[in-house]
Amino acid sequence: MIRSFVRSREAILLGALIALVLLVESRFSGFASPGNLAAVFNDTAILIMLALGQMLVILTRCIDLSLASNLALTGMVTAMLNAAVPGLPVVALIALAVTLGVVMGMVNGLLVWKLDIPPIVVTLGTLTIYRGLIFLISDGAWVNSHEMSAAYKALPRAELIGLPVLSWIALAVIAGFAVLVNRSALGRAFLAVGGNPHAAVYTGIDVGRTRFAAFAIAGGLAGLCGYLWVSRYAVAYVDVAGGFELDVVAACVIGGISIAGGLGTVGGAVLGALFLGTIKNALPVAGISPFWQLAISGAAIIIAVAFNARSSAKAGRLILRPESTA
Amino acid sequence: MSYSIDMTDQIAGATDPVLRLAGISKSFPGVKALSDVELALYPGQVTALIGENGAGKSTLVKILTGLYQPDAGRIELDGAAVRFATASDAAAAGVTAIHQETVLFDDLSVAENIFLGHAPRGRFGLIDWARMRREAAAILTRIGAQIDPATPLRELGIASKHLVAIARALSIEARVVVMDEPTAALSATEIEELYELVDRLKREGKAILFISHKFDEIFRIADRYTVFRDGQMVDAGRMADVTETQLVEKMVGRAVDTIFPQRESVPGEVVLTVAGYAHPTEFADIGFTLRRGEILGFYGLVGAGRSEVMQALFGVTRPARGAVRIDGRIAVIRSPAEAIAQGIVYVPEDRGRQGAVTAMPIFQNVTLPSLPRTSRRGFIRMAEEFALARTYTERLDLRAAALDQPVGELSGGNQQKVVIAKWLATRPKVIILDEPTKGIDVGSKAAVHDFMAELAAEGLSVIMVSSEIPEILGMSDRVIVMREGRIAAEFDRARLTPETLVRTAAGYDRKGVAA
């Protein structure tokens, strides 16, 4: 029943997303055109990937607030390296970005695993540290478009069968995550560790190692997105993606990933990110002031959380029925 | 008004009870915890509540203190019917409980703990700290506790925390004090101090309900007794009119009323040998063998260290010393994963916390430790996964709408079956069942017992940790009784009576028949 409810929650979210698109379309014709929807998807691609990484971490009852700092630091490293050695192949830069991201994720994971520090504290710390490192390596200077090689900037925008490579990468990550979460032992371990850490221990699952894996994978995605972000916007500076970590958490929450862990789906995370992305794309079109845009995004998050809280409360009441009616 | 249980008091001319429960019943999904129970508590007297684990004592305490609402029955305070809808209702009526594990706040001061929820207020409704400390100090002095009210609770030992809990009980003008195994964690001198305190409370006219497993203690301080068995009140009366033997008989019951499977057990070669097993704080000198096809019962009071030994065997905790051999070879078990790989599995007692991932579907729970077997090149094969889950859930006669139903929606008995199915699917050599039928209904219990017998017949070795005497007697080939972290005795089933079990577990044999 909970399972079918989760399914219907995704259905509700999909319905809300379609309604949102149609609402904007009714006022501003052309918003729902395939071309524009593809553009919205492309704009949301990075949010989707980070939300998927964050989802794994949240599934294990942790949280990673350092994802945006990780993204900004790897982005800066690839941009500076590209500016210094323009001949370095982009593939090598991407490999470096992913590796660097994984290492930063592993640092988070190790601190949570071996020192048993609460994840929110660890990643609040690394959020600041990673962001500070950008300043240290760049001296606060920007890497601008003209310093980057053409190949560096071209990859995410290159079109392949009608979609930019950025979108294709996001689609590949979504597919990979669907397999990881639904069809691999590790994916099952994420759900088990968050659903009931004590039971997971008795099942032979190493809770710390599983959380470590979640942090490492999320970090790797943040690294990949670091390159994609900087090359797409063709600029790297200290404050790249500042505050973006909260959008990522918000996308997860809207997508029905339970902050308490153990409950969430790839589809939910993707829809949550798309919902937030659509709002962010539609509001400027509707000519709504940026301040109202923030308030509306915030309201969407609170409504989603209230909705999720209600649904889990209902499940609890059902189990306890004999007591509450007594 | 009828005084069915108080005839002797009418004759003896005792005062009326402060608190009386009549016809109290309480059910949980699948379990009847209390059935038509009576209890009377008298001013200035200690009533001992006696019963095995699972007899319904804790449920009764929760009803008394307003945490649970009874399904039926009356609670009378000074002869007038009352209803304790919440814990604060019960507290306002003067009923207070001191729990086995003290429910206090480590980071607050002693005074704050004593007055939490009913602190003296000054002007503007703010807490009057000076008065609170003064009154806390007065209460602490009254009970003879030398504790500074400003001390953070964290800095106190268990015995002092108990005193704080008692001070808290007194701070709300309690008339009825419930003490739930108050001596379980105390040393001998601390226990003596507690007895003195109980005497003092008696002199102040408090009615005391004293829950304990220790007979010497009950005979030392109680004036009356009430015996519970399987959620029913079996007997009540005055301590002066009863002997220890009679109490034990009432508690365990003469008849083993559940029907257990008939087993022709032919234990085979030794599968598991444990020698010199010890842990710095939890157990010592643990040694035993387990044969193929044998059911070995582990009996003892709660806190005797049985589960701790099993958790060490399963690699959850690390023992300090000792050797484990499986099939004659030394086995090194450092984690549950290694235990599972060596053929030892453990079905924990606490289903909710340690057993199942309740938000996960049944089939995923069952296959969780067996995923390598249902995977090809790292990918889970759903068809094989379902087949494995179906095989074992059908063997256990699991009642569920569908295998993709979340485990949380199942009844307690069926959740237990899912957990057992999960472990059987790993094809173990030794299965450790910790309180396998605790809190499940009679029908499911019988199914679990039948299945246990079947497993043993198939050559699996079973260790059954149980606090239910009928289950221990009905299922085990051999029984090991643990007491205070050590093995107190080992018995063959043939030589075993309920009385010996209870006496060995409670350590009564040590002191001789003194009563």
Side-chain angles (χ1 to χ4, degrees), chain A residues 1-3 7 179 182-185 188-189 191-192 195-205 262-263 319 322-323 326, chain B residues 29 68 311 314 316 336-337 340 346 352-357 360 364 368-369 371 378-380 382 385 404 406 409 422-423:
Chain A
M1 217 154 95
I2 292 171
R3 190 182 159 91
R7 272 196 202 130
V179 174
N182 300 318
R183 299 297 294 277
S184 78
R188 208 52 75 65
L191 288 160
N196 187 342
H198 299 282
V201 168
Y202 283 89
T203 314
I205 295 172
L263 212 61
I319 296 163
E323 247 185 276
Chain B
Y68 287 169
Q311 289 180 351
F314 189 58
V316 178
I340 295 166
Y346 176 65
R353 247 168 69 89
Q354 301 164 344
V357 184
M360 249 191 195
Q364 292 187 0
L368 208 47
L371 283 180
F379 294 112
I380 297 168
M382 299 287 245
E385 197 182 7
D404 58 3
E409 291 172 8
K422 169 170 84 176
W423 293 122

Side-chain angles (χ1 to χ4, degrees), chain B residues 67-97:
Chain B
L67 295 176
Y68 287 169
Q69 300 304 311
D71 299 336
R74 260 189 351 272
I75 304 177
E76 289 173 9
L77 193 69
D78 296 325
V82 287
R83 210 174 90 81
F84 298 153
T86 64
S88 47
D89 282 359
V95 180
T96 184

Side-chain angles (χ1 to χ4, degrees), chain A residues 32-53:
Chain A
S33 72
N36 189 59
L37 288 183
V40 170
F41 180 82
N42 198 49
D43 267 347
T44 316
I46 289 177
L47 181 61
I48 290 173
M49 287 186 271
L50 289 182
L52 286 171

Side-chain angles (χ1 to χ4, degrees), chain B residues 134-157:
Chain B
R134 222 164 40 238
E135 286 181 12
I139 296 170
L140 288 167
T141 315
R142 204 170 103 210
I143 61 171
Q146 289 167 339
I147 302 169
D148 178 359
T151 322
L153 192 78
R154 187 179 293 287
E155 293 173 15
L156 300 183

Side-chain angles (χ1 to χ4, degrees), chain A residues 15-323:
Chain A
L17 184 60
I18 293 169
L20 179 69
V21 169
L22 292 179
L23 182 74
V24 182
E25 167 73 17
S26 71
R27 308 273 308 272
F28 305 95
S29 162
F31 188 81
S33 72
N36 189 59
L37 288 183
V40 170
F41 180 82
N42 198 49
D43 267 347
T44 316
I46 289 177
L47 181 61
I48 290 173
M49 287 186 271
L50 289 182
L52 286 171
Q54 184 71 271
M55 177 189 78
L56 289 191
V57 178
I58 292 179
L59 279 182
T60 66
R61 287 198 186 175
C62 295
I63 195 157
D64 188 346
L65 296 178
S66 72
L67 287 177
S69 298
N70 180 333
L71 175 156
L73 178 54
T74 40
M76 175 59 85
V77 168
T78 57
M80 287 176 71
L81 201 60
N82 177 252
V85 193
L88 214 60
V90 173
V91 178
L93 285 176
I94 293 176
L96 175 73
V98 173
T99 312
L100 211 58
V102 168
V103 168
M104 279 189 266
M106 282 162 71
V107 169
N108 290 331
L110 275 177
L111 289 171
V112 170
W113 178 15
K114 295 296 180 189
L115 297 186
D116 217 6
I117 310 174
I120 192 161
V121 178
V122 166
T123 57
L124 262 179
T126 51
L127 171 154
T128 327
I129 294 168
Y130 298 161
R131 190 66 76 175
L133 284 176
I134 309 173
F135 194 88
L136 283 181
I137 62 168
S138 68
D139 273 332
W142 291 37
V143 180
N144 288 305
S145 179
H146 64 86
E147 297 168 73
M148 299 172 183
S149 73
Y152 182 87
K153 289 179 286 187
L155 183 76
R157 306 148 194 251
E159 288 221 352
L160 207 71
I161 329 176
L163 274 181
V165 167
L166 177 60
S167 291
W168 284 115
I169 293 175
L171 288 172
V173 168
I174 294 169
F177 264 69
V179 174
L180 173 71
V181 172
N182 300 318
R183 299 297 294 277
S184 78
L186 184 61
R188 208 52 75 65
F190 292 136
L191 288 160
V193 163
N196 187 342
H198 299 282
V201 168
Y202 283 89
T203 314
I205 295 172
D206 190 324
V207 173
R209 194 186 296 271
T210 307
R211 289 183 169 152
F212 174 76
F215 275 108
I217 295 172
L221 275 176
L224 174 66
C225 290
Y227 160 73
L228 292 172
W229 182 297
V230 168
S231 70
R232 178 162 194 248
Y233 295 103
V235 61
Y237 53 97
V238 173
D239 285 328
V240 159
F244 200 64
E245 59 275 340
L246 297 183
D247 284 1
V248 173
V249 175
C252 287
V253 167
I254 293 173
I257 318 295
S258 165
I259 288 290
L263 212 61
T265 60
V266 171
V270 172
L271 285 170
L274 279 175
F275 191 82
L276 202 57
T278 307
I279 288 182
K280 292 196 172 224
N281 268 283
L283 295 179
V285 175
I288 292 168
S289 99
F291 303 109
W292 278 109
Q293 289 176 29
L294 286 175
I296 291 170
S297 304
I301 295 164
I302 292 172
I303 290 166
V305 174
F307 186 72
N308 291 344
R310 275 185 75 87
S311 63
S312 47
K314 223 176 265 170
R317 222 172 286 142
L318 235 165
I319 296 163
L320 291 174
R321 184 167 44 204
E323 247 185 276

Side-chain angles (χ1 to χ4, degrees), chain B residues 179-502:
Chain B
M179 301 177 123
D180 191 354
E181 296 199 47
T183 60
L186 301 187
S187 70
T189 48
E190 289 165 349
I191 289 173
E192 224 19 77
E193 284 168 20
L194 184 89
Y195 290 163
E196 279 168 32
L197 184 64
V198 169
D199 286 337
R200 202 180 316 214
L201 294 178
K202 274 170 73 171
R203 286 198 296 278
E204 288 181 13
K206 315 281 187 211
I208 297 165
L209 181 67
F210 194 89
I211 299 175
S212 176
H213 285 287
K214 301 177 188 163
F215 284 97
D216 52 346
E217 172 167 306
I218 292 164
F219 277 91
R220 160 78 172 71
I221 64 164
D223 303 294
R224 296 165 173 277
Y225 67 87
T226 294
V227 182
F228 276 19
R229 189 172 67 226
D230 300 331
Q232 290 177 325
M233 195 209 70
V234 181
D235 192 28
R238 291 167 171 279
M239 292 304 294
D241 306 333
V242 74
T243 66
E244 164 132 10
T245 316
Q246 287 170 326
L247 272 189
V248 171
E249 273 173 22
K250 290 179 208 294
M251 185 176 136
V252 297
R254 261 286 165 226
V256 176
D257 21 18
T258 326
I259 293 163
F260 289 94
Q262 287 291 321
R263 298 200 302 121
E264 275 303 316
S265 75
V266 198
E269 72 279 17
V270 171
V271 174
L272 178 75
T273 315
V274 176
Y277 223 40
H279 183 279
T281 55
E282 289 172 345
F283 52 83
D285 304 330
I286 302 296
F288 62 90
T289 58
L290 178 67
R291 293 171 176 282
R292 213 174 124 79
E294 187 181 38
I295 299 181
L296 177 61
F298 265 76
Y299 182 79
L301 299 178
V302 170
R306 295 167 299 164
S307 299
E308 286 75 8
V309 171
M310 300 310 152
Q311 289 180 351
L313 269 179
F314 189 58
V316 178
T317 54
R318 305 265 187 92
R321 279 197 310 280
V324 176
R325 284 167 191 274
I326 298 172
D327 291 334
R329 279 189 302 277
I330 291 276
V332 180
I333 297 167
R334 287 164 303 193
S335 70
E338 287 182 348
I340 295 166
Q342 311 238 28
I344 298 184
V345 299
Y346 176 65
V347 182
E349 172 187 355
D350 190 343
R351 273 190 306 279
R353 247 168 69 89
Q354 301 164 344
V357 184
T358 48
M360 249 191 195
I362 294 166
F363 77 96
Q364 292 187 0
N365 263 288
V366 172
T367 58
L368 208 47
S370 312
L371 283 180
R373 266 180 38 223
T374 58
S375 305
R376 291 284 176 287
R377 285 192 226 94
F379 294 112
I380 297 168
R381 309 265 275 211
M382 299 287 245
E384 287 179 32
E385 197 182 7
F386 256 91
L388 187 70
R390 189 170 298 117
T391 308
Y392 286 94
T393 49
E394 273 175 8
R395 255 182 90 179
L396 280 158
D397 193 22
L398 179 82
R399 311 273 164 78
L403 283 182
D404 58 3
Q405 197 181 359
V407 172
E409 291 172 8
L410 301 176
S411 72
N414 280 313
Q415 287 193 16
Q416 182 76 317
K417 287 178 186 173
V418 170
V419 175
I420 295 176
K422 169 170 84 176
W423 293 122
L424 293 180
T426 67
R427 297 186 199 143
K429 289 177 193 153
V430 176
I431 185 165
I432 304 169
L433 301 165
D434 200 343
E435 303 286 359
T437 61
K438 189 179 179 182
I440 66 178
D441 60 273
V442 180
S444 297
K445 269 187 188 183
V448 170
H449 290 148
D450 287 344
F451 194 71
M452 223 189 286
E454 230 175 88
L455 292 178
E458 284 169 22
L460 194 69
S461 306
V462 181
I463 294 178
M464 178 185 68
V465 175
S466 174
S467 301
E468 292 188 30
I469 291 168
E471 183 168 271
I472 284 279
L473 292 174
M475 294 304 302
S476 318
D477 295 308
R478 272 187 305 143
V479 178
I480 287 174
V481 180
M482 280 189 69
R483 185 177 64 225
E484 292 165 3
R486 286 163 203 275
I487 291 180
E490 187 179 325
F491 300 102
D492 275 335
R493 174 158 63 167
R495 293 199 291 117
L496 206 51
T497 64
E499 287 77 12
T500 26
L501 265 188
V502 172

